[in-house]
């Protein structure tokens, strides 16, 4: 049904950084099984910076049929505080693809280069692949790429905070699909 409100409590802000919010949309059939219309993935990292809300229209995407429509989504976060004693989070670090600071910010000093590399098995080459449909396999790989992107930024953000910084300029991330030879996905980030 439409116009739904949900409340989700998350104790560890690392989860907000590592995993996207996944919203799946299904049609409702009375005589047959419900059909998957599409899904959308929303990166929640902006909520950990200065914005406390995300709002807009997001494309509803099906991995076999492409964009199937749009959903109007509004997300608000009430930040209680960082009580994580292990400081695994990189919350508050801004990632900019440009080599200059965004409008309203000024560059005080450059600390150095930060990079990160994550290697993980590619779900496309998992032994259960012969039992999965193309849609499920595509969705698993798509979700994994979102998760890798979040983990990459969190780990880089933690390094930036440890060095006394608060932003990564000229941020770039690349995914290498190694194929059948090694059956892994390599995520690289640099800035």
């Amino acid at each position: 049904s439409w116009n739904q409100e949900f409340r989700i409590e998350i104790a560890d802000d690392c989860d907000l950084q590592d995993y996207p919010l996944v919203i799946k949309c299904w049609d409702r059939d009375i005589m047959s099984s419900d059909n998957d219309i599409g899904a959308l993935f929303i990166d929640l990292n902006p909520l950990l910076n200065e914005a406390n809300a995300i709002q807009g229209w997001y494309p509803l995407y099906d991995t076999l049929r492409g964009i199937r429509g749009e959903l109007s989504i509004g997300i608000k976060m009430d930040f209680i505080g960082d009580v994580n004693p292990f400081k695994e989070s990189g919350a508050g670090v801004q990632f900019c693809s440009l080599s200059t600071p965004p409008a309203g910010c000024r560059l005080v000093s450059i600390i150095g280069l930060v990079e990160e590399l994550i290697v993980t098995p590619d779900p496309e080459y998992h032994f259960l692949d012969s039992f999965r449909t193309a849609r499920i396999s595509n969705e698993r790989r798509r979700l994994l790429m979102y998760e890798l992107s979040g983990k990459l930024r969190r780990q880089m953000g933690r390094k930036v905070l440890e060095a006394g910084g608060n932003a990564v300029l000229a941020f770039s991330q690349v995914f290498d699909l190694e194929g059948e030879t090694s059956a892994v996905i390599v995520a690289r980030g640099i800035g």
Side-chain angles (χ1 to χ4, degrees):
S1 68
W2 303 103
N3 296 323
Q4 294 293 310
E5 288 188 24
F6 302 96
R7 179 186 171 130
I8 302 169
E9 293 184 16
I10 299 172
D12 188 355
D13 56 355
C14 291
D15 291 337
L16 289 176
Q17 291 177 299
D18 288 356
Y19 306 105
L21 175 65
V22 179
I23 299 175
K24 291 189 175 188
C25 191
W26 298 74
D27 73 355
R28 185 171 183 176
D29 295 330
I30 296 173
M31 301 302 276
S32 62
S33 63
D34 297 342
N35 298 319
D36 183 10
I37 296 174
L40 61 100
F41 298 107
I42 301 175
D43 180 13
L44 299 175
N45 272 301
L47 293 175
L48 294 171
N49 288 329
E50 294 178 17
N52 68 342
I54 299 173
Q55 188 167 350
W57 287 90
Y58 291 85
L60 192 60
Y61 183 77
D62 178 79
T63 59
L64 297 179
R65 293 183 240 140
I67 296 176
R68 307 280 294 163
E70 293 180 328
L71 292 177
S72 176
I73 304 290
I75 301 169
K76 181 180 178 236
M77 183 176 85
D78 293 324
F79 191 64
I80 306 298
D82 190 4
V83 294
N84 182 355
F86 302 107
K87 300 296 181 201
E88 294 295 317
S89 170
V93 174
Q94 291 188 339
F95 288 83
C96 307
S97 60
L98 299 174
S99 59
T100 58
C105 297
R106 63 185 177 92
L107 183 64
V108 175
S109 67
I110 296 177
I111 296 172
L113 182 72
V114 65
E115 60 184 342
E116 189 64 41
L117 176 86
I118 301 174
V119 179
T120 189
D122 188 346
E124 197 72 21
Y125 297 101
H126 192 268
F127 76 95
L128 289 177
D129 195 42
S130 59
F131 302 109
R132 292 189 290 199
T133 65
R135 174 175 284 117
I136 292 172
S137 183
N138 290 347
E139 286 177 0
R140 182 63 199 124
R141 186 185 251 183
R142 183 175 169 217
L143 178 59
L144 179 63
M145 296 238 193
Y146 269 96
E147 290 173 359
L148 286 172
S149 176
K151 288 178 183 178
L152 192 70
R153 285 178 286 158
R154 178 178 58 83
Q155 291 175 9
M156 289 177 70
R158 193 176 71 225
K159 288 179 179 180
V160 167
L161 290 174
E162 288 172 358
N166 64 357
V168 176
L169 299 179
F171 173 67
S172 176
Q173 70 180 10
V174 177
F175 294 103
D176 293 329
L177 306 176
E178 299 293 325
E180 292 180 20
T181 56
S182 62
V184 297
I185 296 177
V186 179
R188 294 179 172 94
I190 191 167

